[in-house]
């Protein structure tokens, strides 16, 4: 598997010159995949770190042009994966990760930087209308944005559009494809609360309620190959998870199978979540969510394990309870998690790559056939891919979704 990278303009997505990246580490997720009591749903993340480039590999006729070509934030980098067939057919390949150049470290020999993902840049865009902040009586900000009767992902798109295209020099090459989709949800955002109105934060709040959908930014390239960007992908109100209709198959056996370095992590259940919301002291909004089933088993019950959850932005007890219930639901039974790696250069009997990058994404379902593996009974384990990472080579590390551990209770 080969990688090829191109520079592009942050505002327009227009592709520029190719750039040879000497080193790269990447990570893509659909949600928080940690096997811990404090994990959240969150928005899918994508990071590219450890990029190191000698000056001779930076496009440009002279040093002044090279420095400008990799201007922080104004310029991005999109990474494509290429199969042997792509090379033979002289195709660009498949864009699978990219971002905007962040803090850049230069020395006499070259430069190094990480890429700021779309979500990372959206941490610095705020859900406030132009001309409405600090323009009220006595320099107040009473403006309110109400989004009503929309799906969750349509609310996310409305937030995204307000924080990009509706701001000066705010456009980003993101397709907010669910704009205006009808639903039953309502959200209100008040300008005075700007400290809590970053676009990334608001998307995270939507993803983290109990009925919050998967959200992810997936790289795209235009048909003519001149522009790159991202398509905002999200689960619907009726089907919260991405990739529910796509099922991949992998297998593990000590002497065969595509999966390598298989490991299983396990954790015991929690039964209570004490949640605190807006307010202070005795006036603070509080709710309790509990499920004591695991403590009341007839045989060998689990000891009580309690958690806390805090969200100072939430005033309504009902909304606070949905957040707390989501935490409880993700921790109330014994859980386990599979991790493994694959070689993305493996081919099938016909010579085609079995799992090239761009053919599978975090969020999609996997049937994992496990045989002769001491920690687990033989069987097919259906789960979702939550995270994948690599370092520019053929090995890709996979983290699958947390699942019920039926083997310990």
């Amino acid at each position: 598997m080969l990688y090829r990278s191109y520079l592009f303009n942050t505002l327009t997505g227009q592709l520029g010159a190719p750039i040879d990246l000497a080193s790269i580490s990447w990570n893509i997720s659909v949600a928080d995949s940690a096997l811990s009591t404090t994990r959240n749903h969150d928005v899918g993340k994508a990071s590219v770190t450890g990029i190191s480039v000698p000056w001779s590999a930076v496009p440009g006729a002279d040093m002044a042009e090279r420095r400008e070509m990799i201007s922080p934030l104004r310029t991005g980098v999109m990474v494509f994966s290429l199969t042997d067939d792509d090379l033979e057919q002289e195709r660009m390949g498949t864009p699978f990760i990219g971002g905007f150049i962040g803090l850049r470290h230069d020395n006499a020999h070259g430069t190094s930087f990480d890429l700021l993902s779309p979500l990372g840049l959206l941490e610095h865009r705020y859900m406030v209308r132009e001309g409405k902040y600090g323009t009220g009586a006595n320099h107040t900000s009473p403006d309110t944005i109400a989004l009503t009767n929309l799906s969750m992902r349509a609310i996310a798109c409305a937030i995204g559009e307000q924080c990009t295209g509706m701001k000066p020099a705010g456009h980003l090459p993101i397709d907010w494809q669910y704009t205006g989709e009808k639903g039953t949800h309502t959200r209100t955002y008040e300008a005075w609360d700007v400290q809590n109105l970053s676009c990334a934060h608001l998307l995270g709040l939507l993803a983290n309620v109990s009925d919050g959908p998967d959200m992810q930014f997936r790289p795209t390239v235009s048909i003519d190959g001149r522009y790159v960007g991202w398509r905002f992908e999200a689960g619907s109100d009726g089907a919260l998870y991405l990739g529910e209709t796509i099922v991949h198959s992998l297998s593990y056996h000590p002497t065969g199978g595509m999966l390598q370095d298989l490991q299983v992590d396990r954790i015991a259940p929690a039964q209570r979540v004490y949640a605190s919301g807006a307010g202070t002291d005795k006036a603070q909004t509080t709710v309790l969510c509990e499920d004591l089933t695991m403590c009341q088993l007839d045989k060998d019950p689990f000891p009580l394990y309690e958690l806390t959850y805090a969200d100072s932005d939430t005033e309504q007890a009902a909304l606070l309870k949905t957040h707390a219930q989501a935490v409880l639901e993700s921790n109330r039974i014994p859980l386990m998690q599979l991790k493994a790696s694959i070689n993305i250069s493996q081919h099938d009997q016909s010579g085609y790559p079995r799992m090239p990058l761009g053919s599978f994404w975090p969020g999609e379902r996997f049937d994992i056939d496990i045989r002769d593996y001491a920690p687990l009974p033989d069987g097919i384990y259906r789960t979702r891919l939550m995270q994948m990472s690599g370092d520019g080579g053929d090995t890709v590390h996979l983290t699958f979704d947390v699942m019920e551990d039926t083997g310990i209770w």
Side-chain angles (χ1 to χ4, degrees), residues 39-322:
R39 69 184 179 279
N40 296 310
H41 189 175
D42 288 339
V43 181
K45 296 178 174 63
S47 64
V48 181
T49 60
I51 295 176
S52 180
V53 187
W55 286 120
S56 60
V58 178
D62 53 34
M63 281 304 302
E65 188 171 322
R66 292 187 184 109
R67 290 192 296 268
E68 184 176 358
M69 287 288 283
I70 53 172
S71 177
L73 204 59
R74 290 193 299 181
T75 302
V77 177
M78 187 65 76
V79 185
F80 290 70
S81 65
L82 292 90
T83 64
D84 293 340
D85 193 46
D86 289 328
L87 293 173
E88 292 175 4
Q89 300 297 323
E90 297 185 348
R91 295 192 295 252
M92 293 182 66
T94 302
F96 78 96
I97 197 167
F100 317 107
I101 295 176
L103 176 65
R104 200 180 86 195
H105 303 280
D106 296 347
N107 59 38
H109 307 289
T111 184
S112 60
F113 50 84
D114 296 340
L115 296 184
L116 190 66
S117 69
L119 189 65
L121 181 51
L122 292 174
E123 291 180 4
H124 303 279
R125 300 288 182 86
Y126 293 88
M127 183 67 168
V128 177
R129 278 192 276 240
E130 291 299 298
K132 295 296 184 179
Y133 191 75
T135 57
N138 300 316
H139 300 285
T140 56
S141 301
D143 187 52
T144 297
I145 299 177
L147 306 174
T148 60
N149 297 323
L150 295 173
S151 67
M152 279 290 204
R153 61 188 185 183
I155 291 176
C157 288
I159 294 170
E161 289 186 327
Q162 178 63 48
C163 294
T164 55
M166 296 185 185
K167 292 180 179 286
H171 180 78
L172 295 175
I174 299 174
D175 177 10
W176 301 102
Q177 60 176 322
Y178 310 110
T179 299
E181 184 179 72
K182 296 301 181 182
T184 60
H185 300 282
T186 295
R187 291 293 188 274
T188 301
Y189 304 104
E190 299 177 289
W192 61 265
D193 193 30
V194 67
Q195 294 294 329
N196 297 306
L197 297 183
S198 86
C199 182
H201 176 67
L202 296 180
L203 296 183
L205 290 179
L206 293 175
N208 272 308
V209 297
S210 59
D211 57 349
D214 282 349
M215 298 182 189
Q216 189 180 66
F217 295 90
R218 290 190 183 174
T220 60
V221 60
S222 62
I223 294 176
D224 61 10
R226 297 175 56 204
Y227 294 87
V228 293
W230 287 266
R231 183 174 59 251
F232 178 69
E233 297 274 0
S236 67
D237 288 351
L240 301 179
Y241 298 137
L242 290 171
E244 286 192 323
T245 60
I246 301 172
V247 181
H248 305 276
S249 296
L250 290 172
S251 62
Y252 171 87
H253 188 276
T255 59
M258 194 169 181
L259 285 179
Q260 305 164 0
D261 305 319
L262 180 64
Q263 70 177 59
V264 184
D265 297 337
R266 289 181 154 105
I267 193 171
Q271 293 81 32
R272 276 181 177 164
V273 177
Y274 297 95
S276 56
T280 58
D281 301 328
K282 294 180 179 180
Q284 189 169 29
T285 302
T286 58
V287 298
L288 170 66
C289 292
E290 68 176 13
D291 184 342
L292 301 177
T293 303
M294 293 291 104
C295 296
Q296 298 168 343
L297 297 175
D298 293 334
K299 181 181 179 182
D300 198 14
F302 282 90
L304 180 67
Y305 197 91
E306 299 179 320
L307 306 174
T308 61
Y309 172 85
D311 183 359
S312 60
D313 300 330
T314 302
E315 298 178 355
Q316 299 177 357
L319 181 57
L320 179 63
K321 191 161 188 174
T322 64

Side-chain angles (χ1 to χ4, degrees), residues 33-35 252 259-268 334-341 368-379 381 383 398-408:
S33 60
L35 181 60
Y252 171 87
L259 285 179
Q260 305 164 0
D261 305 319
L262 180 64
Q263 70 177 59
V264 184
D265 297 337
R266 289 181 154 105
I267 193 171
L335 300 170
M336 69 176 188
Q337 183 176 49
L338 304 180
K339 298 179 181 179
S341 61
I368 303 177
D369 189 353
I370 298 176
R371 306 291 163 178
D372 297 335
Y373 181 60
L376 292 171
D378 288 357
Y381 294 80
T383 181
L398 308 177
T399 299
F400 296 96
D401 200 3
V402 174
M403 68 179 79
E404 181 178 0
D405 188 355
T406 57
I408 64 172

